[in-house]
Amino acid sequence: MKKRIFTLFLALTLLYSMVSCGKKAKDEPKDESAFLSPSLNDSQIEKEENSTAGSKEDTNSSDSKEDNMTPDDQNTTYDPDSWVNPGSLTSPYAIVNAAAKASPSVVAITTETVSYNGFYGNYVSEGAGSGVIYTSDGYIITNNHVIEGADTVRVTLINGDTYDATIIGADIVTDIAVLKIEASGLEAANPAQEELLVGQPVIAIGNPMGSLSGTVTSGIVSALSRTISVEGIAMELLQFDAAVSPGNSGGGLFDINGNLVAVVNAKSSGDGVEGISFAIPAARALEITEQFIKQGYISDRPGTGIETKCIDANNYESFRDSELWNYAVIGSRVYTGLYITDTQNTVYADTQNTFLFGDRITQIGVTEITNESDITAALSRYQIGDSVTVKIARLTEVSTPYGNSYTYRSYDINIVLIEYRPAISGGTIL
């Protein structure tokens, strides 16, 4: 009997313990993360969490948003101006759309230059580049080095139509040139309005190799401002890594929305160098273009007021019938360089020495001069109103025991730099 009573008491005790434990477990919150089934995959877990969040939102939406924020989210204040909206970057057709929008504004440029060779006589050399349509009535932006020295310039649109182009202005310092074709209804490039960011996607469109017009390549902005020396002239350029080749010069660099951000003009080359290309920021290119269209020259640029003509190994035969021939050719030797043809706009710092027709410029300041690019590089160190010494070589007749002969003598002439003005009589104003 005692055994039965003890057994019954033990059973009741166990039953009470089970009921108490069940009630306690029901009242305490579950740690769901500790009990996720190992058979659940990530999508199932996400669906379960979303379902839970949805039920909370139905009860109290404000509490739901607060519950879904991580501690990092709650402690961070976001600045909307410092973040890029990724919407246009995530589309698989972003580049396709940008190219479709921008391509009609890019043209192919071909040039012809007549040169002289003692063996072949006159011959024509061809060049190629790219350009960007600036206005619907035919103004086009390209690089100065694309059309420099060209006797003929032609522009081909994306539809294959070809036009003869007139050079409105060209600038060695910024490497910008402006062309004009007689056309209307053209699709002009749309300049970007938003500030560029390092790492931002860009596409380059141009005429690589002079035969692949309309080629599109893509990359990113590598740096916003690089000081690069191009032919001795320091330029502030945009760096990017989209593939470009000879012939891309003068073409457009566009953002992912198809808006113009820069004009392509240079590429670093050499062993082991890849993906380092440069372009003139659109704001600078457009500023220069506007000045060329409105007034034909660039304001606030120092100049000498000297007008010159360049005689070199390729063109000297074309001067045979000109007065300069007698200054540049002595016997069988040709002295190449920049020969002065006019100085009516020159301001002298003193009148001890002045320029004469046929003087050859050999140095400005400390810079030796052999061509127009050298002078541009030399003057970039000065401001309007600065005094500078110009060294010239002057052909002089001298007496010798064997009769009279000619030789060059050096003279230093001091001038005051004035605002640059373009040529007025067929030469080149420096």
Side-chain angles (χ1 to χ4, degrees):
M1 185 70 178
K2 290 182 180 180
K3 226 178 206 186
R4 289 181 182 177
I5 293 174
F6 176 77
T7 301
L8 180 62
F9 175 77
L10 181 61
L12 291 174
T13 302
L14 291 174
L15 180 62
Y16 177 79
S17 298
M18 292 176 64
V19 172
S20 299
C21 290
K23 185 176 184 304
K24 182 177 181 182
K26 184 177 180 180
D27 292 340
E28 290 180 353
K30 293 182 181 180
D31 182 1
E32 294 182 359
S33 63
F35 295 95
L36 289 176
S37 169
S39 64
L40 291 177
N41 58 34
D42 291 341
S43 62
Q44 290 173 315
I45 295 172
E46 183 178 1
K47 288 178 182 178
E48 183 175 331
E49 290 173 347
N50 289 342
S51 175
T52 303
S55 63
K56 288 182 180 180
E57 186 172 348
D58 292 339
T59 306
N60 190 326
S61 60
S62 61
D63 291 340
S64 172
K65 292 178 182 178
E66 187 69 22
D67 291 342
N68 287 334
M69 292 181 67
T70 66
D72 287 341
D73 290 332
Q74 296 175 16
N75 296 329
T76 302
T77 301
Y78 290 99
D79 178 4
D81 293 332
S82 67
W83 294 87
V84 179
N85 183 350
S88 63
L89 309 182
T90 56
S91 167
Y93 297 102
I95 292 178
V96 175
N97 294 333
K101 177 181 176 180
S103 290
S105 68
V106 180
V107 302
I109 295 175
T110 55
T111 63
E112 292 182 351
T113 304
V114 179
S115 301
Y116 177 82
N117 180 282
F119 182 79
Y120 294 103
N122 289 335
Y123 65 96
V124 176
S125 57
E126 297 181 342
S130 307
V132 178
I133 299 174
Y134 179 60
T135 62
S136 61
D137 60 348
Y139 283 102
I140 294 169
I141 307 171
T142 187
N143 288 149
N144 172 75
H145 75 261
V146 169
I147 54 86
E148 188 174 19
D151 296 294
T152 302
V153 180
R154 291 187 177 89
V155 169
T156 301
L157 306 181
I158 191 173
N159 63 7
D161 292 346
T162 299
Y163 298 84
D164 289 331
T166 301
I167 300 174
I168 301 301
D171 179 42
I172 297 175
V173 175
T174 58
D175 198 23
I176 288 293
V178 179
L179 309 177
K180 179 68 170 68
I181 61 174
E182 295 305 318
S184 60
L186 304 180
E187 294 195 41
N190 184 42
Q193 301 299 320
E194 296 180 357
E195 184 178 352
L196 270 181
L197 302 172
V198 172
Q200 184 171 331
V202 288
I203 60 172
I205 305 178
N207 182 30
M209 312 310 294
S211 59
L212 301 174
S213 179
T215 295
V216 178
T217 56
S218 66
I220 62 169
V221 175
S222 303
L224 298 177
S225 180
R226 297 290 195 199
T227 301
I228 305 298
S229 180
V230 181
E231 296 185 355
I233 300 172
M235 304 179 67
E236 291 292 328
L237 301 174
L238 173 77
Q239 182 185 339
F240 65 100
D241 72 344
V244 295
S245 303
N248 272 105
S249 292
L253 190 69
F254 300 87
D255 64 19
I256 208 67
N257 295 313
N259 299 321
L260 182 69
V261 298
V263 176
V264 177
N265 80 320
K267 177 184 179 181
S268 289
S269 60
D271 294 338
V273 178
E274 292 293 341
I276 300 179
S277 303
F278 301 96
I280 305 161
R284 182 61 172 155
L286 299 182
E287 176 192 355
I288 298 299
T289 299
E290 277 293 323
Q291 292 196 48
F292 275 136
I293 293 174
K294 291 180 179 179
Q295 62 192 29
Y297 64 94
I298 301 171
S299 300
D300 302 322
R301 182 72 59 76
T304 64
I306 303 169
E307 187 170 324
T308 67
K309 289 188 177 180
C310 182
I311 297 179
D312 58 37
N314 293 321
N315 71 1
Y316 73 92
E317 279 288 346
S318 64
F319 289 90
R320 183 176 289 275
D321 296 327
S322 76
E323 189 177 356
L324 282 180
W325 178 268
N326 298 322
Y327 291 87
V329 181
I330 300 178
S332 61
R333 182 173 179 181
V334 178
Y335 292 84
T336 61
L338 293 176
Y339 285 84
I340 296 175
T341 58
D342 194 298
T343 58
Q344 62 178 324
N345 293 318
T346 302
V347 177
Y348 295 101
D350 59 65
T351 57
Q352 183 177 356
N353 289 311
T354 59
F355 296 116
L356 299 178
F357 180 92
D359 287 345
R360 176 164 47 90
I361 300 174
T362 60
Q363 189 170 319
I364 293 181
V366 297
T367 306
E368 293 186 0
I369 305 298
T370 59
N371 54 44
E372 294 160 0
S373 297
D374 293 336
I375 289 187
T376 304
L379 295 183
S380 66
R381 302 183 177 94
Y382 297 94
Q383 303 292 327
I384 296 172
D386 288 348
S387 295
V388 63
T389 298
V390 179
K391 188 181 292 293
I392 58 96
R394 178 171 296 165
L395 190 62
T396 306
E397 185 177 11
V398 296
S399 297
T400 71
Y402 306 100
N404 293 341
S405 65
Y406 288 89
T407 187
Y408 286 102
R409 287 183 175 174
S410 180
Y411 294 87
D412 288 342
I413 300 175
N414 299 315
I415 65 171
V416 177
L417 297 180
I418 61 174
E419 185 179 36
Y420 169 86
R421 289 290 190 276
I424 57 176
S425 59
T428 301
I429 285 284
L430 304 173

